[in-house]
Amino acid sequence: MATMDTLWPAWEALQASADEALRIGTTHYFKCIRQAVCDKLALDALSFARLGQKDEAVYDHLVYLMETYREVVSLFESQEGNPAPDLVAGLCDVLNSRMRQFEDVDMGQGNPVVNEKRTILEKALMRNVEQIENLEKEYPIEPEKHHAKLLKGTWKSLKDSIVNNVFPALQVIYQEALERCLSSINDLHNRETANYYTDLLEREWEVLGLIIQVQVKAIESASGSANGVATILTKLREAYQQTGPVISGFRKLMQSAPEVIVPELLREDVENISDPCAELDTQMFIQELVCNGDTIFEEMRLWYLEAMSVNAHNFIITELCFAKKVVATFSSGADNIEDTENDIINGIVETLKIKIESLNESLEIYETDNRKLLESISSQIPRLTGQDIEEAASQLFTAWCEAPPEQESIPAFFELQESLGAFGGYHKQLVKLMAANTEKLEKSALRFKKETLLYEISTYEEILFYSVTRLRDSDQPEVLAAVTIFDETFNSLESLIADAGITVIRPIPHDPFNGKEHEVLTAEEQEGFAKGEIIKTMTSGFKQGDQVIIRANVVAAR
């Protein structure tokens, strides 16, 4: 047996390592949960915003207009022999002026409307992170719930516990953060940057309209049929035409009733997170735990021998008890019949006595055969292998981790493990041996039931059907009294059968024939009965669970 001098210090060191792993794992899972919730919040805030990306398109369209202006100026500057140079120069000056004004307000740091939305989102994410960090501070780690799983190298218990504990609060945090975020993003009137660039695009559209109406028309009039000039000016008209729908569509969206769709945070959003990489070194403790494994195995072997013996003994006793009750029932029926000159009654009583004698002989044979089986069990117990010892180490370690004993209870722990047989491969061999012997006992019991007990009961039912039936119309009190005793004997037998978990198969007229449970003695044509229907039952059948032991004898219609 491992001594407490070495085993307990090894266990304390392993516990300390598990505590640290639990702390690391908790921190890791909350970090992953924060990231998962923030990622979903960022995605949903942009996906479900009322304006979608249309507010971002306002700035993008302004950039498109400026690029069109730049292209038009560049084309005119590279064109030779312009028929209206002064008018073109004036147009280019205006376009350059518009571009300079835009450049004066554009910081060159990407789409400012996107940046504004990102700022709103970042505030929501920071608030989100802060609230989840508060959940982490309040989370009860509870080492006693997770040590066993951590020591076996699985993190699922800790992850499930954290998710189950904080998920309702996470849903609230996420929902409130998303609603605030969407409210801020959708409120264009209070978004300074989006407002500014929306107004700027509308003003630019108006200015472009005036440029087309005045300067472009003047250049077109002065240029006549010069194709090069017309092609360049067409770019301004196309830009103007494309800008109008952008503005009108955006205005229409702003005037429409908002459709609020706020998605929920689902468990799978926070469950699909990675496990920590931390691992615990358990080998030293396992070696200490099973340092006296040979003794444990021997004690377990002896315990299993006793357990199998008790199991087999109980099995035999159960069947013998049932059988003896059947014998007692037949004996009671025979003993309670008063002396009579009725040949039928005397014949039935004599038959009962024969049954009793036959049953007693069968009981003795059954008990002897099964005692021999019981005696052979000890010689069947397998010897130990190296694999048995390795599996024992694993099983014993699991048992210790799931219910760690106090220092003073270590001897009792080992005694408990010996009695429970928590030693892997060897345990499986013993269980297999137990199953094989149990199967032999079950087959022996089934054969005994079928060929002895239920056979005698079934033939007694035939006596009721063929012989006792002839006595039922008698006017002699002693005959009717005997009939009552015969019926009561049969009822008692059926009660014993039910108590033993056996079901009587006794179909009624018009029941369909069932080849599994019924056996046809004769097939007859009978008015009112369809082919395959049962006309009458001659003797009952029996089944235990789904297993049919004896089929019922029936007369069926043909």
Side-chain angles (χ1 to χ4, degrees):
M1 193 72 67
T3 65
M4 288 187 289
D5 291 342
T6 55
L7 178 60
W8 191 255
W11 170 241
E12 289 181 322
L14 188 57
Q15 277 187 304
S17 298
D19 287 340
E20 178 62 14
L22 192 57
R23 184 192 64 78
I24 292 173
T26 301
T27 301
H28 169 82
Y29 283 130
F30 270 101
K31 179 181 178 181
C32 291
I33 287 172
R34 283 197 301 272
Q35 188 62 51
V37 175
C38 287
D39 288 347
K40 180 172 174 59
L41 177 60
L43 178 64
D44 289 348
L46 299 179
S47 300
F48 291 91
R50 174 191 176 191
L51 302 176
Q53 295 180 329
K54 289 184 172 58
D55 52 351
E56 302 170 18
V58 169
Y59 174 82
D60 292 337
H61 201 79
L62 274 168
V63 172
Y64 159 71
L65 287 179
M66 297 305 117
E67 290 174 349
T68 302
Y69 293 169
R70 189 173 292 107
E71 183 182 6
V72 169
V73 171
S74 176
L75 289 172
F76 273 129
E77 288 177 346
S78 62
Q79 188 181 45
E80 296 180 359
N82 195 308
D86 293 338
L87 293 174
V88 169
L91 174 61
C92 289
D93 287 342
V94 171
L95 295 179
N96 281 324
S97 173
R98 302 308 302 166
M99 287 188 286
R100 283 194 299 273
Q101 288 184 30
F102 180 75
E103 290 170 356
D104 289 342
V105 297
D106 186 32
M107 304 300 294
Q109 296 179 350
N111 190 325
V113 179
V114 173
N115 293 338
E116 181 185 44
K117 290 166 72 174
R118 186 176 292 120
T119 300
I120 294 172
L121 179 59
E122 286 174 353
K123 290 181 180 179
L125 292 176
M126 288 176 62
R127 174 62 176 161
N128 224 33
V129 168
E130 180 183 344
Q131 289 178 302
I132 296 176
E133 285 177 346
N134 289 335
L135 290 180
E136 182 178 358
K137 293 175 184 177
E138 297 171 0
Y139 174 73
I141 294 182
E142 301 177 298
E144 65 278 1
K145 286 188 177 181
H146 309 296
H147 266 186
K149 299 297 183 182
L150 289 181
L151 292 171
K152 293 298 290 181
T154 175
W155 293 90
K156 188 176 185 303
S157 171
L158 177 60
K159 181 170 74 173
D160 290 349
S161 175
I162 291 174
V163 171
N164 291 336
N165 184 284
V166 303
F167 183 70
L170 288 176
Q171 285 184 303
V172 174
I173 291 172
Y174 163 81
Q175 206 77 16
E176 291 178 351
L178 183 59
E179 289 174 0
R180 285 195 303 268
C181 193
L182 289 176
S183 177
S184 298
I185 292 175
N186 292 338
D187 186 8
L188 190 64
H189 299 294
N190 288 321
R191 284 177 54 194
E192 182 178 343
T193 301
N195 250 327
Y196 174 79
Y197 283 99
T198 301
D199 293 342
L200 187 61
L201 179 62
E202 291 181 351
R203 290 198 304 271
E204 196 59 43
W205 185 56
E206 293 173 358
V207 170
L208 180 56
L210 292 173
I211 290 172
I212 292 171
Q213 187 175 1
V214 178
Q215 292 179 285
V216 171
K217 284 186 176 181
I219 294 173
E220 288 174 338
S221 298
S223 301
S225 59
N227 289 333
V229 173
T231 300
I232 296 172
L233 294 177
T234 297
K235 294 182 179 296
L236 291 176
R237 291 186 184 278
E238 290 175 350
Y240 180 79
Q241 291 169 356
Q242 291 181 24
T243 304
V246 172
I247 294 174
S248 61
F250 191 69
R251 286 173 176 168
K252 183 178 180 181
L253 179 64
M254 291 301 300
Q255 292 169 359
S256 64
E259 182 180 1
V260 180
I261 302 176
V262 182
E264 294 183 351
L265 181 71
L266 304 177
R267 287 187 68 91
E268 51 261 36
D269 294 324
V270 295
E271 281 182 332
N272 298 325
I273 53 180
S274 65
D275 292 330
C277 298
E279 293 184 3
L280 293 174
D281 183 4
T282 59
Q283 285 306 309
M284 182 189 306
F285 178 69
I286 292 177
Q287 290 172 5
E288 292 287 343
L289 197 60
V290 294
C291 68
N292 252 355
D294 288 342
T295 301
I296 296 172
F297 268 120
E298 181 59 24
E299 291 178 357
M300 188 179 73
R301 175 183 173 278
L302 294 175
W303 184 89
Y304 255 99
L305 176 59
E306 180 182 356
M308 286 190 291
S309 298
V310 170
N311 183 45
H313 179 75
N314 289 339
F315 204 107
I316 296 170
I317 291 300
T318 298
E319 297 305 321
L320 291 178
C321 183
F322 175 41
K324 289 177 180 179
K325 288 179 180 178
V326 173
V327 171
T329 301
F330 278 134
S331 297
S332 176
D335 293 342
N336 287 330
I337 299 296
E338 296 181 358
D339 293 338
T340 178
E341 295 181 357
N342 188 292
D343 292 339
I344 295 177
I345 295 175
N346 289 333
I348 295 174
V349 171
E350 186 62 29
T351 301
L352 287 178
K353 291 178 180 179
I354 294 172
K355 285 181 176 290
I356 292 166
E357 183 178 350
S358 176
L359 281 170
N360 282 326
E361 290 177 359
S362 298
L363 274 171
E364 186 175 343
I365 295 171
Y366 174 75
E367 185 173 9
T368 300
D369 290 345
N370 284 283
R371 294 296 178 191
K372 290 179 181 178
L373 174 62
L374 184 58
E375 291 170 1
S376 70
I377 288 177
S378 60
S379 62
Q380 300 171 5
I381 295 182
R383 295 300 173 184
L384 295 171
T385 66
Q387 184 179 355
D388 294 329
I389 296 174
E390 289 181 7
E391 290 189 6
S394 175
Q395 294 287 334
L396 192 59
F397 178 66
T398 298
W400 180 290
C401 293
E402 290 178 351
E406 298 296 333
Q407 186 173 2
E408 62 275 9
S409 303
I410 291 177
F413 167 80
F414 280 101
E415 290 176 6
L416 180 62
Q417 295 313 308
E418 292 167 21
S419 65
L420 293 176
F423 285 71
Y426 194 57
H427 170 71
K428 292 177 183 178
Q429 293 180 57
L430 293 174
V431 169
K432 185 177 180 180
L433 177 61
M434 174 73 85
N437 286 321
T438 300
E439 184 179 2
K440 291 178 182 178
L441 290 167
E442 287 176 346
K443 288 182 177 180
S444 174
L446 181 62
R447 186 168 57 252
F448 182 60
K449 286 190 186 86
K450 179 178 181 179
E451 298 176 1
T452 302
L453 298 177
L454 297 180
Y455 169 78
E456 297 294 354
I457 294 173
S458 182
T459 53
Y460 180 70
E461 184 181 15
E462 291 182 13
I463 292 172
L464 289 180
F465 186 82
Y466 291 105
S467 298
V468 175
T469 299
R470 295 160 57 190
L471 302 173
R472 297 188 185 280
D473 295 332
S474 173
D475 56 1
Q476 299 178 26
E478 65 274 12
V479 172
L480 295 177
V483 169
T484 300
I485 292 172
F486 294 143
D487 287 339
E488 288 175 348
T489 298
F490 184 72
N491 291 337
S492 297
L493 291 171
E494 291 210 322
S495 295
L496 289 177
I497 290 171
D499 291 342
I502 299 172
T503 303
V504 176
I505 302 173
R506 187 177 293 129
I508 61 176
H510 295 288
D511 276 355
F513 174 76
N514 176 353
K516 180 181 178 182
E517 297 185 350
H518 309 148
E519 182 174 3
V520 177
L521 292 182
T522 59
E524 303 175 355
E525 291 185 358
Q526 181 79 26
E527 185 178 352
F529 285 84
K531 181 179 180 180
E533 288 186 340
I534 292 173
I535 298 174
K536 61 182 175 181
T537 299
M538 306 303 291
T539 57
S540 302
F542 306 95
K543 64 179 180 178
Q544 195 158 24
D546 294 330
Q547 183 179 22
V548 175
I549 303 173
I550 296 177
R551 291 186 293 175
N553 291 325
V554 301
V555 176
R558 60 184 173 89

